[in-house]
Amino acid sequence: MSEVVFKGFGDKALPFLKALDFHQNREWFLENKDLFEAHLYEPLGDLVEDLLVRFERAGLPFRGDRKKSQFRIKRDTRFAKDKSPYNRHLSALLSPDGNKWAESGCFYVCIGLEEYRGCYAAVAWWQQKPELLLAMRKAIVEKPEKYRAMVKALAKNGLEIKDNDCLKRTPRGFEAVTDPDLIEALRNRNFVVRFPIDPASITSPKLADDLLDFAVRAKPLIDWGRAIEGTLVV
């Protein structure tokens, strides 16, 4: 793997997204595609390649490709209420097998307008298959000391698990659990830690350093999930 050094997003990256949000048409996008590629698309590809090398050296299980790991800026509007043809953000996902459609154990980075998704990174067990989510819930109840140790390690690293899509009630089969922290954990559909990115920092090469630091600090969550995943019969 060639070592590409991330030099920062272009200074017109967010202004481009702002203008795209206003225009939202193919003609305008094609007229400004060179700007998109120079200030957003290619820099995100550089960031992905830079992070891949750093993650491998740090022993983090995130793989990908500068092109294949990026999500398209063009939206699939077939089932959406908002029929705007373009996203107001550009993002990429790295996963253990390099698949950007991975459902869990992934690293995600997003550069977007604050009024929509904003700029942030996340490490997550996201939309797991039912059998893995069930195994995680059983592990929380049967081995609470390991779950709590993971949460404590994250807290020591300045991170906290949050799921904006959690259940309102404890899932069936776990109603007997009474510990508040375990109840909260059982209601999670996803296990996510986030790192907010200051929009003013995206033009700096230091962003790659900050994202590596975040991913390393989030490693207890990945290790906890992988240990549970390894107990499942394939």
Side-chain angles (χ1 to χ4, degrees):
M1 182 184 298
S2 61
E3 294 194 22
V4 174
V5 177
F6 173 68
K7 298 176 182 177
F9 287 91
D11 57 5
K12 293 182 175 62
L14 293 180
F16 172 87
L17 292 174
K18 194 81 173 177
L20 179 62
D21 182 37
F22 176 78
H23 290 281
Q24 281 294 338
N25 66 73
R26 184 172 182 271
E27 291 73 23
W28 185 91
F29 181 82
L30 292 178
E31 287 175 4
N32 293 275
K33 189 175 179 181
D34 289 347
L35 191 67
F36 164 71
E37 292 184 345
H39 290 257
L40 274 165
Y41 182 78
E42 292 300 335
L44 182 55
D46 290 346
L47 179 61
V48 166
E49 286 201 18
D50 193 331
L51 288 176
L52 288 173
V53 174
R54 293 171 184 245
F55 288 165
E56 184 175 6
R57 289 173 178 167
L60 294 168
F62 306 126
R63 309 287 180 264
D65 176 87
R66 69 173 294 124
K67 292 184 178 181
K68 294 179 181 179
S69 295
Q70 293 197 43
F71 292 96
R72 297 175 61 191
I73 196 165
K74 195 173 188 306
R75 300 179 65 241
D76 182 352
T77 61
R78 288 175 298 173
F79 307 107
K81 292 182 180 179
D82 178 5
K83 297 300 181 181
S84 303
Y86 295 99
N87 286 313
R88 289 85 165 182
H89 66 273
L90 191 65
S91 61
L93 187 142
L94 307 178
S95 65
D97 64 0
N99 176 12
K100 72 179 177 186
W101 300 108
E103 297 173 332
S104 57
C106 57
F107 174 91
Y108 178 78
V109 59
C110 176
I111 302 299
L113 298 179
E114 196 64 34
E115 55 266 38
Y116 295 100
R117 294 194 177 192
C119 299
Y120 71 95
V123 168
W125 291 91
W126 180 261
Q127 296 182 343
Q128 307 92 314
K129 292 180 179 179
E131 57 267 29
L132 177 55
L133 181 56
L134 178 60
M136 286 179 161
R137 286 172 172 163
K138 287 182 177 179
I140 289 169
V141 174
E142 296 170 4
K143 299 178 180 178
E145 71 284 353
K146 290 191 176 182
Y147 175 76
R148 286 171 171 150
M150 179 268 290
V151 170
K152 185 176 180 180
L154 289 176
K156 184 177 179 181
N157 292 342
L159 299 174
E160 180 183 5
I161 295 174
K162 285 191 175 181
D163 179 18
N164 294 329
D165 190 35
C166 61
L167 299 172
K168 294 182 179 180
R169 296 182 179 180
T170 304
R172 185 177 301 174
F174 297 95
E175 295 88 351
V177 177
T178 57
D179 293 9
D181 62 326
L182 300 185
I183 291 174
E184 181 180 1
L186 289 170
R187 292 180 180 180
N188 286 339
R189 286 191 174 101
N190 311 289
F191 296 84
V192 185
V193 289
R194 288 171 57 110
F195 171 70
I197 298 172
D198 181 354
S201 73
I202 69 170
T203 58
S204 170
K206 186 177 179 295
L207 177 59
D209 298 327
D210 294 340
L211 294 181
L212 172 63
D213 174 72
F214 162 64
V216 170
R217 289 188 289 120
K219 191 172 183 293
L221 174 59
I222 291 298
D223 290 345
W224 174 79
R226 292 184 81 188
I228 297 169
E229 189 177 41
T231 66
L232 298 178
V233 177
V234 179

